[in-house]
Amino acid sequence: QLQKGLEASGRLWPLTLQREAHSGIFNISGTEEDVANLQKKGVHCSYRGTGIRLSAHFYNTEEEIEQLLQLL
């Protein structure tokens, strides 16, 4: 669900889209300001290189993933 949502948002890097399989860790386009705003809203993420690093875990609910996608 997260990967499909990030793909639909246009924030995934082209290399990520080319992979047949991908882990639960994603680096998406965004700025340090975006990271600060997400963190203020309770999203655990970090600024790495030229984007935002996010990850989903087995304990994240579909509702939490949907909330993240709405924030983006």
Side-chain angles (χ1 to χ4, degrees):
Q1 179 184 356
L2 179 58
Q3 184 169 351
K4 288 179 182 179
L6 293 173
E7 185 176 342
S9 75
R11 287 184 170 250
L12 282 180
W13 301 109
L15 179 61
T16 304
L17 295 172
Q18 295 172 6
R19 295 181 181 147
E20 289 184 30
H22 190 73
S23 73
I25 300 170
F26 294 92
N27 193 29
I28 63 171
S29 61
T31 65
E32 291 181 72
E33 183 179 342
D34 293 331
V35 169
N37 290 331
L38 288 169
Q39 289 174 340
K40 286 178 189 174
K41 295 177 181 172
V43 176
H44 295 279
C45 60
S46 59
Y47 190 73
R48 292 284 189 271
T50 59
I52 301 169
R53 180 169 290 176
L54 300 166
S55 64
H57 298 280
F58 69 91
Y59 52 80
N60 289 115
T61 65
E62 288 185 25
E63 291 79 20
E64 290 171 328
I65 292 172
E66 187 58 38
Q67 288 173 347
L68 169 63
L69 294 172
Q70 292 298 318
L71 289 172
L72 293 173

